[in-house]
Structure formats: C-alpha cells, structure tokens
C-alpha cells in the first residue's frame, strides 16, 4: 500500500527502530543521576548529541533535544526574542513558514510585539531584497524555512543569511523538511528540525543555538538540555533520532537522485494526464521528494478519500481538508489554485512501480470526483449572448463556486462579465487562479450581502 | 545489580516495551491525517486516551498527553493561571512540591504575580487549615502533590481539595509519584503525571483538566491534544504509557503490600544498624516504595558513590549531589537533617534478598565514609572546661561543619557554648538537626565575616 505522505511523517527508518530498541534497555534511567544506570544513560545522551551535532554542523553544546519540531520552533523563537528584547520586539518571517512559526508570530503580536510577513512569488520563493527591506533596527529575529513543507520549494537561504548578518539580526532556519537530505548552508544563528520527518521516531526535535546568539528561555527554569528544553529527556527516542539521521544522510545522495527522477515524472505526466491541473512550487529549486498540484473543480478532501480507496496515502493543503476550512496559507501566499490540492511526498524507498500506478489511477479518480460534483466540460460552449451573469454560490464550499462560475461562463459573450457570489474564503484564491488557467480576465471583488462577489471578464 | 531509584525513573514495565514495539509499526503516522495510516494512528491515540483517562478517573476529552511530567506541570500551571487571570495572579503551592512547580511559581513572581508557599511539618505534611489560610480572593490556582518524591509522604489531598472547593480555587494535583499505585482522590481540577515514574516510557506526561475549569494555554496556538500540548504526538510512547499504566495498576495492590513490607524493614533496621541516622518522612501516610534517611557526618555524594561501588543505585537529596550545592528544598522545608541523605525507592519486582543485602552493606559503607571524613566518635568525651569554643569551618562543605562542631563539643562543659562558622547553606539545616538528634540546645545564628555563626549550648 503506497504511502506518499512522508512530509507529514516518514515511516521509521530500520536504524531508528533498532536504536530505539537497544536504548529502551540501556537508556531508561535519568542521565542526571550519578549511579551506574544514570551514567550509562548520560553516555548515550552525549553520544547522540555528538552524532546529531555533526549532522547539523554545530558543536554538541550548541544542540538541545526538544520533544518535537513544533516545540523547538516555539521555544527557539521565544528564547531568541527574549534574548534580544532590548533590541526590540519585531519579528520577520516568510508568509509560507510552518504554522508553528506563524502561530508564534501571532502570539508575539497578541503580546504587543510586531511582525513582518515577507511574501513569496508564484513559485513560493522569497526575494532576498524584499527580506532585507523588512529588517528594522528593532528586529529581534528573522525566520526562514530551508524548504517548504507543501511545495518542496527551497528558499535562498545563503542570500537571506547574508542580509540578516549585514543587519545584525539572528536568523532562525526551520530545517524540518530538509535536514535528512543534507546540511543547511552556513549563516544561521538558530536551527530547528524534527526527527519524524527524516525517518526518526516521534518525540524528538532539534534546537541548535550558535554560540554568541543571545537566548533567554521563556517559562520556568529547568536544568535539562542547556536550560532550553525542560523535562525528562526521551532518551531512547533521542538515540534513535541521532542514529537514523546519520543513516539517512549516508544514503541521501543516491536516494535523492532516485526520488527526484520519480518526482520529475509526476511533475511532467500529471498535467498531461489530467486536464485543468496546476503543478505548484519552484520547477528547479526544490526538495527531491515533494510535488504538489491542484486540480480545478475538485474538492481536495474528496480527492484524498478517493485516492485512499485506490490505496494511495497522500495529503492535501486545500481548504476542505483543514479543520478550519481555510485554504492552505502556503498556496494562498503563492497566489495559486488551492482547490483540489494534492501533495505527493515520497518516503525513502518509494517504488517506481507505485508511482506509475498512481499516474495510472489519478486521471480516473479526478474525473470521478469532478463528475460527482457536477463540474463543467473543459471548454465552454459558444456564448449565448447575456452581457452579465450573476451566479449565487453563497453557502457553498469550494470547489462549487468555481464550478458554478465555469458552468455559466458560456452564457456571456467575449467582453461580458460573470460575477460569482461566495462566502467561502477559498474563492478569493481560486477564482483568480481559474482566470489564470483559462486566460480570462479577473476584474476584482466587492462586498455583497452575505459574502463577496468575484467578477470575471470573458476575453476569449 | 539492584536499582533502588525508581522515584527518579522506573525501569520500563514489560508491557510498556511490548506496546511500544507494536505501536512503532502501527502508530508512526500523523493521527490528524485522513489516509489509512493516519486513521490507524488516530485509533491508537483514541484508545490510549481512553485507557489513561480511566486510570486517572476522568473523561477522555479532559486528558491531554504532554511530552513529560515537567511540561504537564509548566503548561498546566500556566494555562490555569491564564484562564483565571481576571480573578488574580496569586498562586498557592506547598514548599515540598517538585521543582517544576516551584520554578513555575518563581516564574510567576518574576512576571509580577505572587506566590504563597505553604510549609510542612517535620514529617512533610501540609496542614489543611494552614493551606486554607493561604487562599485569597485573588488566588488563581492552588497546587499540591499527591505524595512527595523524596520522602513518599502522602498529602491530605481530600481535605485540601475541600478547602479549595470552598474558596472556589481550582486545585492542581501533581500525581507523578502516586498514579501508578492508585487513583487520586476526587476534588482536583487539574492533574498531572509522568509515565516514566510508573514504568512507562520517557516522553509522556499527562495533563487532565476537568470540564468547567478555566484554562487558557500559554504560547502559540496549536490544535493538538485539545490545544493544550503543542507538537506532533509521540504515539508509540503514548500507547506504551497507557498500556503500562493499566498493567501496573492491575498489579498495584499486591505489589504495594510486598514493597511496603520491604520499606518497613528498611525503616526499622537502618536506625538500629547505623548510628546517628534519621529516617525522614511520615511514618504511616506514605507511598509503598520510598524511604529516605539521613546520616550524620556523611557526605551524600560520597555515600552514593560508595553504595554504587557495592552495586546499589540510590539517590540523594542532600546538598552535595545537587549541581547547585544547595540542600534539598524538601528536607529543608521539613527542617530535618539533610547531610548524608539517601533515598531508597524500590522498583516493582525489587527483591527481598537485595534489600537484605543493602542492609548488610550499609553500616560498613557509612562507617567508611565517616572515617574518611574524620567524623567524631558517637558519644562526646567528658567536658574539658572551656566555656565557649568557636570553630571555623568557613570554606568547608557539608558535612564538615557538623563534624567540626561535634569534634570540639566535648571541650565545653554543660552550659557552655560552641559556635561553628560556616558558609555552606546546608549548615543552617544540619546544625539544628544535629542538636535535635543529640538532645542539645540550638541557640541561634548570627552573621559573621564570610559566613554565618551557628551557636549550640551543651545541655547534657
């Protein structure tokens, strides 16, 4: 059963399993205690720290083990902000960071600080010049992911690190998606990662803080992990995390090339096999194992369930799968189609035959969902002559507003207008995206009773 | 090799190991995802929550899994304080809580809140009336451990819960040491625990919050665990924690009786076998598996190392084992001897033969440490006639100040005074404790250049 959701959680690497089993027997005691069981645990912890530090590219005493990547981000951001409080309370982030970063930014704003969210282009890249312009005299911290978790797009880290260094602002790099594939370029002040993303166990994050970086932990004092990660350490998981990081790194070169070829095939074939599809993310600057695409007139959750029935486990960043019913903030920031979004993230060892079978079943699955939702035919019929049509999709969730738009579009002549009324936030993204894909003109939006009217002009 | 430090970390129960192994294969995916691996993980998580909630005595939706007992305490206290911020920012704790609670209290004070630390008697018990008197109209939260981690003393929880309820103040119970032995009495609003204390894995704490308890999590928003424990859950460890809690509870009755008999034997025999020993903690209201005693004229760390060489792993709350060189806050609050402190905490399955062998080697080990430190003979020689002697132990660590005191004590007649000068904080505790044990009169302390002078009057 092919599992294509490694970017959520990778199946444990065999080395992680073996190391965890061994450390369960040897590493259950408190490494802070002086008796033999404690000393044995301390040796395991020290060795794991050295191994992980080598992979990160830092000194062991710069590295703390946290209970998760999210905690590493929360505590790393809070500690870095606390350490630079005299400088100011301004934080710079990209608009496509992991939600743990964006929620930390929201918390800072709620507490009286300020945040600049640097946008990205349609491929998901930040512009280093725009990032530089966001840095201020009162900027305490800047954060940028090494690569995006939904699109795989790799950020221009070295360039952004240079502008941060020039401004004297520490840069926190969220390396959760990339650390298993190779070291992060020099220039970061803080680095975070998450073991279950590289095939390590759950329960382990990394927080590296370069010597000389001001850091003042939030919350109650605790002596563990250099004062940066309170609580009894999960030593078996830490040992497994370090061992598996070393193992996946050793295999990374060959496996990245293999997976990149599979992803290239998906990127090339999906638009050829499925009509009205947009492959999103940077075409070249990207992680080897992630590809995401969006299908017009499709509900992401329905597509995900249909693929699940065919035996494929994928993820979706589209609005309908989120508990908040909001479109993915990443796709929104990129200004690309969010409806019918599918993320394929291949685990290590993913089989080419499974990828081929995915490509075989995908067209039928998308077609089935579209039929079920009553999606319009691919090309509109000749114009019927109405100068303007208003279609009411209030109360209907994505992708229905775009389907309704497309269904009536053939009723207006070239030059005519169609306005779709919707109260689904995703329509703000998906109506312009539909226009881009169809070569039609997006006129704009206006508030109407109960929602928003999105107007499109037919130009062909 | 007998391991007698279960109160630090218990060796994993076989059920924990088995459950963890099974869940490694079945429970590595993200339980928030909709694909089959995610749904399977969600089923495991839901089942673990039901099992743990049953043991705690709460509803599953009241229970969150945290990365450790410390995180459960930090986040539980912060969330409860945040939820009652309109009421006030006053916190009541006992003076013998776990350091995670006391450090959270310190953090509240540093942030402008206020704390009342309710004292304990010589057996370690809080007085419910004194606890009630500490509650104020602006008290946001009260915290009390179910049983102490150094002495095993069980607190009068039901009585304190009643006074909190009468005052309308939520009570947080730290059940870390007791939950494996049985449910916590009714009346708590928040409850915390730690899996590695009951034979579960590291990496799992419990935070239960009763419906109706105001709770406002600190820090960035996160949807996991009811919004109370951010980050990807360590599902294999959670499954193992829940399964082992059920397993140890099923065995708790018989095993508690067996261990209690062994502890009773230690409590009875140690004072008979070793001169100048004080067994501390409540004689009856106590956990089945913990006993702690303090030996005059002994350095706790030296004693611990000597016992380690004999094959026994124990812990010490005395000053010399702590990285801060401060005496145990628990022993200090009780006003008992802190020097030469040894905590014996028996794991499940501890052998009676090992306990007997411990009793066999202990007298020789203590005697060896005392000889090495130059401890005085047990009974002082007849008085030599000096009316007052001052002995300078400045710059010398515990137990040297008390040894020096005892050595010169026979030089003053009944009615004469001995003053020992010391800059070791432990002397404040141990000189009065020596007086108690010797039936001599502790006169008081005064500041001297470089330290404190502690004066004793010879009365026999």
């Amino acid at each position: 059963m092919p599992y294509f959701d490694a970017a959520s959680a990778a199946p444990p690497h065999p080395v992680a399993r073996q190391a965890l089993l061994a450390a369960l027997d040897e590493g259950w005691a408190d490494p802070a205690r002086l008796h033999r069981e404690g000393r044995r645990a301390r040796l395991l912890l020290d060795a794991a720290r050295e191994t992980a530090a080598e992979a990160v590219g830092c000194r062991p005493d710069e590295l703390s083990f946290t209970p998760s990547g999210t905690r590493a981000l929360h505590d790393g951001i809070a500690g870095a902000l606390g350490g630079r409080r005299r400088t100011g309370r301004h934080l710079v982030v990209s608009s496509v960071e992991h939600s743990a970063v964006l929620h930390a930014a929201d918390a800072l704003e709620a507490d009286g600080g300020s945040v600049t969210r640097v946008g990205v282009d349609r491929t998901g890249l930040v512009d280093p010049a725009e990032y530089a312009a966001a840095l201020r005299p009162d900027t305490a911290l800047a954060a940028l992911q090494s690569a995006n978790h939904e699109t795989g797009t790799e950020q221009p880290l070295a360039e952004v690190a240079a502008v941060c260094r020039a401004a004297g602002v520490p840069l926190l790099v969220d390396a959760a998606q990339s650390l298993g594939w190779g070291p992060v370029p020099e220039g970061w002040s803080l680095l975070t990662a998450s073991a279950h993303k590289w095939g390590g166990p759950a329960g382990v994050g990394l927080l590296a803080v370069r010597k000389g970086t001001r850091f003042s932990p939030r919350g109650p004092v605790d002596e563990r992990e250099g004062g940066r990660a309170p609580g009894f350490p999960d030593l078996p998981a830490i040992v497994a995390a370090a061992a598996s990081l070393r193992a996946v790194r050793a295999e990374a070169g060959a496996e990245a090339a293999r997976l990149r070829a599979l992803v290239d095939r998906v990127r090339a074939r999906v638009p050829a096999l499925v009509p009205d599809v947009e492959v999103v993310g940077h075409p070249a600057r990207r992680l080897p194992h992630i590809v995401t695409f969006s299908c017009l007139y499709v509900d992401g959750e329905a597509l995900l369930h249909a693929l699940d029935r065919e035996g494929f486990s994928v993820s979706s960043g589209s609005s309908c799968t989120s508990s908040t019913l909001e479109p993915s903030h990443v796709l929104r920031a990129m200004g690309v189609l969010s409806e019918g979004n599918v993320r394929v993230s291949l685990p290590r060892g993913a089989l080419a035959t499974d990828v081929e079978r995915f490509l075989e079943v995908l067209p039928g699955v998308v077609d089935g969902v579209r039929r079920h939702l009553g999606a319009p035919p691919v090309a509109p019929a000749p114009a019927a002559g109405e100068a303007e049509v208003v279609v009411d999709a209030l109360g209907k969730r994505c992708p229905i507003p775009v389907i309704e738009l497309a269904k009536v579009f053939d009723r207006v002549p070239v030059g005519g207008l169609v306005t779709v009324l919707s109260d689904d936030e995703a329509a703000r993204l998906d109506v312009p995206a539909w226009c881009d894909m169809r070569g039609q003109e997006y006129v704009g939006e206006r508030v109407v009773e109960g929602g928003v009217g999105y107007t499109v002009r037919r130009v062909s």
Side-chain angles (χ1 to χ4, degrees), chain A:
Chain A
M1 300 290 271
Y3 175 80
F4 289 170
D5 194 20
S8 286
H13 191 279
V15 164
R17 198 176 196 284
Q18 290 155 18
L20 196 138
L21 288 190
L24 266 185
D25 296 330
E26 297 287 316
W28 50 266
D30 185 347
R33 295 289 172 185
L34 300 173
H35 45 58
R36 64 183 175 281
E37 290 84 358
R39 297 194 302 271
R40 201 163 60 193
R42 165 64 62 182
L43 286 176
L44 287 174
L45 181 58
D46 290 347
R49 198 182 312 281
E50 286 200 19
T51 300
E54 193 185 339
V56 167
C58 69
R59 289 164 37 173
D61 62 352
E62 293 174 328
L63 186 69
S64 299
F65 293 107
T66 72
S68 63
T70 292
R71 296 264 186 177
L73 285 168
H74 288 181
D75 292 350
I77 290 170
L81 290 173
R84 301 241 312 159
R85 192 150 178 153
R86 285 189 191 173
T87 300
R89 301 193 68 205
H90 178 241
L91 170 68
V92 177
V93 299
S94 90
S95 54
V96 295
E97 297 298 307
H98 188 274
S99 61
V101 173
L102 297 180
H103 288 152
D106 294 343
L108 175 65
E109 280 183 328
D111 192 37
S114 60
V115 177
T116 300
R117 295 167 185 83
V118 177
V120 295
D121 66 16
R122 267 188 76 85
T123 69
L125 283 182
V126 302
D127 174 359
E130 196 182 335
Y131 206 97
L135 301 173
R136 309 190 316 210
D138 66 335
T139 304
L141 179 67
L144 183 64
Q145 61 195 190
S146 55
N148 187 264
H149 49 294
E150 289 189 28
T151 63
T153 298
E154 292 175 321
Q155 297 295 350
L157 266 193
E159 293 88 333
V160 169
V163 303
C164 288
R165 191 166 46 245
V169 173
L171 175 67
L172 181 150
V173 173
D174 171 9
Q177 290 296 340
S178 77
L179 197 68
W181 298 108
V184 171
E186 282 298 311
W188 52 269
S189 298
L190 301 101
L191 181 144
T192 63
S194 174
H196 73 103
K197 304 291 190 192
W198 71 62
V204 183
L206 303 183
L207 171 61
V209 182
R210 285 274 187 226
K211 287 287 157 202
T213 305
R214 286 180 191 278
F215 195 90
S216 177
R218 178 187 57 172
V221 169
D222 190 284
E223 292 178 2
R224 307 269 181 187
E225 293 298 312
R228 291 172 183 157
F232 192 83
D234 186 353
L235 193 47
I238 287 169
V239 168
S244 58
L245 180 55
R246 181 159 55 189
V248 299
R249 274 291 193 79
E251 305 159 356
E255 187 62 5
R258 200 180 69 79
L259 294 186
R260 189 175 293 278
L262 297 179
V263 161
D264 286 346
R265 172 119 178 106
V266 173
R267 292 180 65 93
R269 292 301 296 153
V270 164
L273 293 166
V274 181
D276 289 328
V277 161
E278 184 177 12
V279 176
V280 301
H282 197 279
R285 297 183 65 144
R286 53 184 164 85
L287 291 175
H289 64 307
I290 299 180
V291 51
T292 189
F293 54 86
S294 298
C295 307
L296 208 53
Y297 312 137
V298 168
D299 164 350
E301 185 168 338
L303 191 50
L304 195 157
H305 283 304
L307 285 168
D308 182 65
R309 281 191 295 273
E310 296 286 338
F312 293 94
S313 296
V314 298
S315 179
S316 173
S318 80
S319 59
C320 301
T321 59
S322 159
S323 60
T324 58
L325 288 176
E326 289 211 352
S328 148
H329 69 271
V330 172
L331 302 177
R332 184 205 296 254
M334 294 165 66
V336 298
L337 183 70
S338 78
E339 67 183 44
N341 175 259
V342 171
R343 177 182 69 184
V344 171
S345 53
L346 302 178
R348 285 168 174 78
L351 300 177
T353 50
D354 284 337
V355 171
E356 288 307 318
R357 200 161 66 76
F358 176 78
L359 292 172
E360 275 166 33
V361 306
L362 182 69
V365 165
V366 174
D367 189 55
V369 174
R370 282 175 175 165
R371 279 171 196 272
H372 181 75
L373 289 171
V378 172
E386 292 180 63
E388 177 161 12
V389 169
V390 175
V391 56
D392 181 355
L394 291 170
K396 294 176 179 162
R397 302 242 65 86
C398 74
I400 302 300
V402 174
I403 290 177
E404 296 296 321
L405 163 67
K407 275 182 174 169
V408 302
F409 203 69
D410 60 358
R411 285 163 50 189
V412 303
V414 170
L417 299 174
V418 175
T419 296
V420 58
L421 311 182
S422 173
D423 53 4
D424 184 342
E425 187 57 27
R428 176 165 288 125
L429 212 52
D430 292 342
V431 173
W434 181 88
C435 293
D436 272 348
M437 294 172 78
R438 281 283 177 276
Q440 306 296 342
E441 178 189 345
Y442 179 62
V443 176
E445 66 172 66
R446 65 190 155 83
V447 175
V448 301
E449 197 181 328
V452 177
Y454 301 92
T455 300
V456 179
R457 175 174 289 117
R458 181 164 183 176
V459 296
S460 64

